[in-house]
Amino acid sequence: MAKLIVLFALCVLPALAIATRPMRTPFTVEGRVYCDTCRAGFETSATTYIPGATVRLECRDRKTMDIRYTKEGRTDSTGTYKIPVTEDHEDQFCDAVLVSSSQKDCAAASPGRDRARVILTGYNGIASYNRFANAMGFMKNEAVSGCAQILKQLQEFDE
């Protein structure tokens, strides 16, 4: 009987302790921030990506819509941000939100492209802990030259 208790203590208790410990960094939210150089409202071949832009992750309670969690991140030289999240947000709506641009001539958030929804729970069947948000963008104060041609080409593809 004593051997059974020792065996139980050596095998089962450590497994239970590990299972109940919270994960250190279960999720990484990743996305890109662009400058809409053609003021088209979406990415084009003239789009550039913004280094040094600030993005905030906001998680809100599903019922009250009160903010329960926030964390900010900055884009790297390729316009990509990665925000580590240390807990599961199963019962919350989480969005990556544009905060500011590092480019003065491209600092107005593009309507409809200023936030991106992300799912931050491990209870949805997704095996990876990496979460990819849709690209978000700021608009250039004035469209750069060559945009008329780019938009015309896009229109031809649409027809």
Side-chain angles (χ1 to χ4, degrees):
M1 183 63 164
K3 289 181 182 180
L4 186 59
I5 293 172
V6 171
L7 182 64
F8 179 79
L10 290 175
C11 295
V12 177
L13 292 179
L16 288 173
I18 290 171
T20 59
R21 237 178 37 196
M23 300 172 89
R24 293 190 186 270
T25 306
F27 302 107
T28 300
V29 176
E30 182 177 337
R32 293 186 88 185
V33 177
Y34 66 89
C35 178
D36 182 359
T37 54
C38 289
R39 299 183 56 86
F42 51 87
E43 293 171 271
T44 66
S45 59
T47 294
T48 59
Y49 294 91
I50 303 175
T54 303
V55 175
R56 180 174 49 243
L57 181 67
E58 295 180 348
C59 295
R60 296 177 179 272
D61 183 270
R62 286 182 185 261
K63 293 178 183 170
T64 65
M65 296 307 288
D66 293 336
I67 293 179
R68 296 289 181 206
Y69 179 85
T70 63
K71 189 167 186 180
E72 287 193 357
R74 295 184 77 82
T75 58
D76 63 16
S77 62
T78 67
T80 303
Y81 62 89
K82 293 182 181 180
I83 302 173
V85 180
T86 57
E87 59 268 331
D88 196 283
H89 294 275
E90 180 181 12
D91 295 324
Q92 298 171 6
F93 291 121
C94 297
D95 292 309
V97 181
L98 290 176
V99 175
S100 64
S101 171
S102 60
Q103 299 177 357
K104 291 184 187 340
D105 64 338
C106 192
S110 185
R113 303 284 185 203
D114 60 339
R115 62 180 49 239
R117 178 71 38 98
V118 290
I119 308 292
L120 293 177
T121 184
Y123 302 107
N124 59 1
I126 300 174
S128 172
Y129 289 116
N130 295 327
R131 299 296 191 258
F132 297 95
N134 289 336
M136 299 181 292
F138 291 99
M139 289 195 312
K140 194 96 165 154
N141 293 344
E142 292 186 25
V144 298
S145 63
C147 286
Q149 180 66 21
I150 291 169
L151 295 176
K152 185 178 178 185
Q153 287 174 341
L154 291 173
Q155 187 178 17
E156 289 173 2
F157 289 133
D158 193 36
E159 293 175 350

